[in-house]
Every structure is written in C-alpha cells, then in structure tokens.
Amino acid sequence: MPARSCPFRMPHASAARGLAAAALIVCARVAVLNQAKFVLMAPRVVRTVPALRRAVMPWRTAGERIALVPTMGALHAGHLALVQAARRRARRIVVSIFVNPTQFAPHEDFGSYPRTLAADLAALADLSVDLVWAPSAEVMYPPGFATRIVPEGPAAAGLEDRFRPHFFTGVATVVGKLLIQCMPDFAMFGEKDYQQLKVVTRLTQDLDLPVRIIPVPTVREPDGLALSSRNAYLNPLERAAAPALQRVLAHCAGEITRGELLARVLDEGGAAIESAGFVLDYLEARHADTLQPVAALKDGPIRLLVAARIGKTRLIDNIAVSGGRTAKKAKHGIS
Ligand code: AMP
C-alpha cells in the first residue's frame, strides 16, 4: 500500500503528532509487507487444457518465445536450473507439474512419490515463472483415453528400458501431450535422465514437433550425488554411500580417457559400486547420441550410464567421457 493512501486520519494534528508518526510507521510496514508479497508472488496455476490454451495463446500471438519445463514436482535445485536455463531462452516460462501414472509400473513408487505443490509454488515464486500447468490424472487421461506413443531407438537401447519396460512409453506419451498442449518453442530436459533426454529429442524429430529440446547439465550435491526427488527416500547410511555412484563414474571416465581397456574399466567400476553397498542394474559405455554400445574410445563420443539400487531406492547417473570423437559433447554440456 503506498504511503499516500494510508487510511489513518488525525482529527487534532497538533495534539497527536506521536500518533501520526506511529500511523506512518504502520503504513510503511504494510507497504513493506505488500512489497514482500509481490516479490514472492506464487505463479498462476491452471488445471484444464482450455485454461492453459487461453493463457498461452496471447503469448504466441504476440510472438513471445515460450519455454516449457516438464516436471513431476517435488522441486529441487536441479529443476530450478532448468527454469533458469529456460529464462535465458524465452520470454515466457511454463512449468508443468504432473506425477504421470503411466510411467510407473504397479510395483513402483507412484503412490508414495512426493507431492509438494505448495512448496513447489513457493520455490518458483521468485523465478518469474509465468504459469504452472498442473493437470489432474483425469484431465490428462480422461475416460476413453486410448492413444500411446511407443518410442524405439534410444528408448530400446537396453538401459532403463531393460529394467522399466513400461517407462518410456509413459514418458513419450505424456511429453508428447505436454508439448502439444503448451506449444512451446523450447522444452528443457535434464542430462540427469540421459536416456530420457535422447528419447524426447528423437520423439520431437520423428513427429516434426516445432520445439527445440534443450539439455541442461546435472545439478549435484557438494559431495557429487545428483539431486533427485528420490534422494529423500535414502536413510542416513544410504545417503552417505550414495556419492560413490558419481565417484566411480568419474574414475571410470578418467581411465577410459587414459586409454584403459573399456571392458576392464566397467568390470572394476561395477565391482566398486557393489562394494559401496549398491545392487548394480547396469554400468554401461554407450555412444553419447545414439546410445548404441561402444567398444573403445575411438567409437565415441562416449557417455557412461549407471543405475543401481541401495535399500529401497533406485538411483541413476551418467557422465561424459573426454577424448575420442567429442564433437557433440560440447553441444550437450558436461555434468
Ligand atoms: P522429474 O521431476 O524427476 O521428472 O524431473 C523433471 C526434469 O528435471 C527432468 O528433465 C529431469 O532430467 C530434470 N532433473 C532432475 N534432476 C535433475 C538434476 N539433478 N539436475 C538437472 N536436471 C534434473
């Protein structure tokens, strides 16, 4: 509230200077509070497709660039890095928050996945996000819904798809829907989920969707653990062991760059991960673009990808290997 619209009136000013001063202080505090409220204003939330379209259309008509940041909520600094990367590209930012049931298998953690919308909106409040798209499952998958996108290529590389066969069909279908709903110029995806990044990039190329997928490097804890909403599941002992994943990846990448035999490096890396307390799903060296297997540094650029379970938590991570043919590496950044 500006000071001049202060509602306090002093009938006998000469006798009430002290009261007037107090009133001014009260008005000033209200103004400060209002200013704080303005700075921390939560972004607007829309929950239906027509409301989303009504919000986005004027931006498109005005020729403003739009970036979409798809998330499942429980936002952390990794997600916020995507928002910041979006800000560098686009005038308008839409963050979608949707825990997508179709990418979880029945035995996975859909029911217990953290849902923290109020905290998420607070986290986005000072990042100038224009819109939060938070549909319900019924809005995304209304009765009679019967269409799926079934990706191949990088989605069938024998990495995550080997352990989560339902996963990329769920991801591709929901990402396809989000892109069609929001019509962004850019969509930001984390390198943290490297195979997903490749699947989504392929999807937009194959379906001629007029959007550029922008990879964003992985944000990590100071000890190297990649930020993930699922880190919240780790107990203190597991949390202490978890950075071993990134340590081993970095060590393996260094050995491969130095010319050590790839198969031997991966064998030793896998053993090191297991001796840190993990059950290893995979530790693989793949071509950084196609995700096809590689036998030596010269077959690169190489990306090392790992998935491993500790207690009830499954973690994934990846790293670029320097050396070999690294032309595309610079384009995708190094995490
Ligand atoms: P999620 O909410 O886990 O589905 O992730 C939404 C997006 O955030 C995906 O593009 C992820 O790759 C990305 N993301 C998740 N964790 C990180 C991280 N630590 N650093 C960068 N991006 C991340």
Side-chain angles (χ1 to χ4, degrees), residues 210-225:
V211 57
R212 224 171 112 198
I213 301 302
I214 307 294
V216 178
T218 303
V219 177
R220 300 180 178 282
E221 300 282 6
D223 62 11
L225 176 63

Side-chain angles (χ1 to χ4, degrees), residues 78-223:
H79 298 111
L80 303 187
L82 267 58
V83 174
Q84 279 146 359
R87 170 61 62 222
R88 291 194 284 275
R89 303 249 174 195
R91 164 82 176 79
R92 300 290 184 177
I93 301 178
V94 180
V95 174
S96 64
I97 297 181
F98 180 61
V99 185
N100 176 33
T102 66
Q103 68 191 64
F104 290 80
H107 66 276
E108 291 182 343
D109 57 343
F110 175 69
S112 58
Y113 196 87
R115 288 160 173 85
T116 58
L117 185 64
D120 293 347
L121 295 179
L124 296 173
D126 49 358
L127 291 180
S128 307
V129 167
D130 295 276
L131 202 64
V132 168
W133 169 221
S136 64
E138 291 69 31
V139 164
M140 279 303 231
Y141 304 111
F145 184 90
T147 304
R148 293 183 306 159
I149 298 173
V150 184
E152 295 177 2
L159 298 163
E160 283 302 281
D161 48 297
R162 199 147 51 92
F163 295 87
R164 308 182 72 193
H166 56 283
F167 179 65
F168 287 119
T169 294
V171 167
T173 303
V174 80
V175 170
K177 279 176 70 77
L178 289 169
L179 294 175
I180 292 165
Q181 290 162 343
C182 299
M183 295 181 292
D185 301 283
F186 304 99
M188 324 306 289
F189 283 85
E191 290 183 344
K192 156 78 169 40
D193 300 279
Y194 195 79
Q195 190 179 6
Q196 171 177 279
L197 168 66
K198 295 295 151 184
V199 170
V200 169
T201 304
R202 189 74 251 167
L203 163 86
T204 57
Q205 289 165 357
D206 291 351
L207 298 185
D208 302 310
L209 297 178
V211 57
R212 224 171 112 198
I213 301 302
I214 307 294
V216 178
T218 303
V219 177
R220 300 180 178 282
E221 300 282 6
D223 62 11

Side-chain angles (χ1 to χ4, degrees), residues 192 220 223-226 228 231 234 238-253 269-270 272-274 276-283 304-310 313-319:
K192 156 78 169 40
R220 300 180 178 282
D223 62 11
L225 176 63
S228 163
N231 291 352
L234 298 169
E238 293 161 354
R239 174 63 189 83
L245 272 192
Q246 166 64 8
R247 267 201 312 275
V248 171
L249 279 178
H251 178 76
C252 291
I273 287 168
E274 295 201 312
F278 285 89
V279 176
L280 187 67
D281 279 353
Y282 60 82
L283 169 62
L304 299 183
L305 302 103
V306 68
R309 287 166 283 137
I310 186 160
T313 310
R314 187 170 181 278
L315 300 177
I316 59 172
D317 205 345
N318 64 86
I319 195 170

